[in-house]
Amino acid sequence: METEKNPPGDDAQELEDSFIPIDEHEEFVSQDGKKISRKGIYLLPNLLTLGALFAGFYAIIAGMNGNFNAAGWAILIAAVLDGLDGRVARMTNTQSAFGAQFDSLADMVSFGVAPALIVFSWTLSSIGNAGWAASFIFMSCAALRLARFNVQLGTVDKRFFMGLQSPVAAGLVTFVVWVAYKYGIEPGVWLSGATAVLTAFVGLLMVSNYRYYSFKEIHFKGTVPYVVFLMAVVLLVVIAQRPHEVLLLMCVVYAISGPVISLYRKISARKRKTESDPAA
């Protein structure tokens, strides 16, 4: 169905007459089986995405100035806001193509560029080419992971993510620096080398084919057993006591869950094959 639009000349004239020549965002969506034109953007979910972008940018500034404690908190805030914007959009029915693209670009800054620069400023700059190479591997893998996620959206099992999510990968790399900075650990040659290996390895996990549970089946509108709510309270108390260490441990456990589950499935499949064919 064709949509009515103003003549191109009228739009150009309105743009020239405006004080600040910024074109209005317009996208076409399907509604009741019809293709309609929608102008403008939804405020709430995109405002949360903007907050995540700001937190990632602040993390970069803090890391370059050697304030790794503030950088760690900023990455954590960016991850929380990133988790909220999508859920808020779905709960309020304010999803849009603009929001999806904006979210990916914000993720690239907050969970790709920011962690790479933070860990480089902390120790990787001291080992020369190997340091910046590890940082670049992490950053480029974050970009590849986000691009793959965008093209596979709607075609993969929503219960799982293919590859380690960029917020968790960013948290794992950044929280190592966060914990070390808290305890005043000065990175030497061996620690710098180990950090470079960890940074590159976490980057490769993002583009791997390991499946990670997405937790998207958790519905906040529905009811849950009382014990689940009690466990959530206990978890919040534990995190509040030692946020640096607990958050790092949570990222480590989740990051290794993908390879562990994959190994378990391979062993189980081989065991079933052997039981079904004893001769093999």
Side-chain angles (χ1 to χ4, degrees):
M1 180 178 179
E2 294 184 358
T3 57
E4 295 184 359
K5 295 183 64 178
N6 294 330
D10 293 346
D11 292 339
Q13 185 63 40
E14 291 178 2
L15 188 60
E16 291 178 359
D17 293 340
S18 61
F19 179 70
I20 302 178
I22 299 177
D23 194 8
E24 181 65 64
H25 170 69
E26 180 181 10
E27 61 184 65
F28 295 95
V29 297
S30 297
Q31 182 174 324
D32 298 329
K34 300 179 180 179
K35 191 176 183 181
I36 64 172
S37 173
R38 183 175 63 195
K39 289 188 176 182
I41 61 175
Y42 292 112
L43 179 61
L44 184 56
N46 288 294
L47 196 60
L48 292 172
T49 303
L50 181 63
L53 178 61
F54 175 79
F57 178 75
Y58 179 80
I60 295 174
I61 300 300
M64 293 174 63
N65 290 330
N67 189 357
F68 299 110
N69 183 58
W73 283 112
I75 293 296
L76 175 61
I77 293 172
V80 172
L81 293 176
D82 178 68
L84 287 176
D85 59 4
R87 290 189 178 274
V88 168
R90 288 188 292 271
M91 292 175 64
T92 57
N93 195 26
T94 54
Q95 305 99 315
S96 66
F98 175 89
Q101 298 302 321
F102 186 33
D103 181 68
S104 293
L105 293 173
D107 287 353
M108 182 57 201
V109 174
S110 299
F111 310 127
V113 178
L117 291 180
I118 289 171
V119 72
F120 182 81
S121 299
W122 180 60
T123 185
L124 296 188
S125 60
S126 63
I127 56 176
N129 293 339
W132 70 256
S135 296
F136 178 74
I137 289 174
F138 180 91
M139 184 183 67
S140 59
C141 286
L144 293 171
R145 194 242 181 268
L146 291 168
R148 184 177 67 175
F149 176 80
N150 288 342
V151 299
Q152 292 180 344
L153 194 63
T155 61
V156 295
D157 191 349
K158 292 183 178 181
R159 296 175 301 169
F160 300 95
F161 287 119
M162 189 66 70
L164 182 64
Q165 300 96 303
S166 55
V168 179
L172 181 53
V173 170
T174 305
F175 294 162
V176 168
V177 180
W178 204 22
V179 171
Y181 184 75
K182 176 184 177 181
Y183 290 100
I185 299 175
E186 294 294 334
V189 177
W190 289 104
L191 181 57
S192 298
T195 304
V197 173
L198 174 67
T199 302
F201 178 72
V202 173
L204 294 176
L205 282 180
M206 285 192 283
V207 295
S208 69
N209 289 329
Y210 292 128
R211 298 204 303 174
Y212 290 88
Y213 189 64
S214 66
F215 299 102
K216 288 186 177 181
E217 291 186 329
I218 300 177
H219 300 289
F220 292 95
K221 291 183 179 180
T223 60
V224 296
Y226 182 76
V227 65
V228 174
F229 183 76
L230 183 61
M231 291 173 60
V233 173
V234 172
L235 179 62
L236 288 175
V237 171
V238 173
I239 293 176
Q241 297 298 317
R242 290 186 174 275
H244 302 68
E245 298 86 347
V246 176
L247 290 171
L248 174 60
L249 180 62
M250 291 173 62
C251 289
V252 171
V253 171
Y254 187 79
I256 65 176
S257 67
V260 169
I261 292 174
S262 178
L263 179 62
Y264 173 77
R265 287 182 174 178
K266 288 182 179 180
I267 294 176
S268 299
R270 185 175 299 178
K271 184 177 179 180
R272 287 194 300 268
K273 184 178 180 180
T274 303
E275 291 176 351
S276 62
D277 188 6

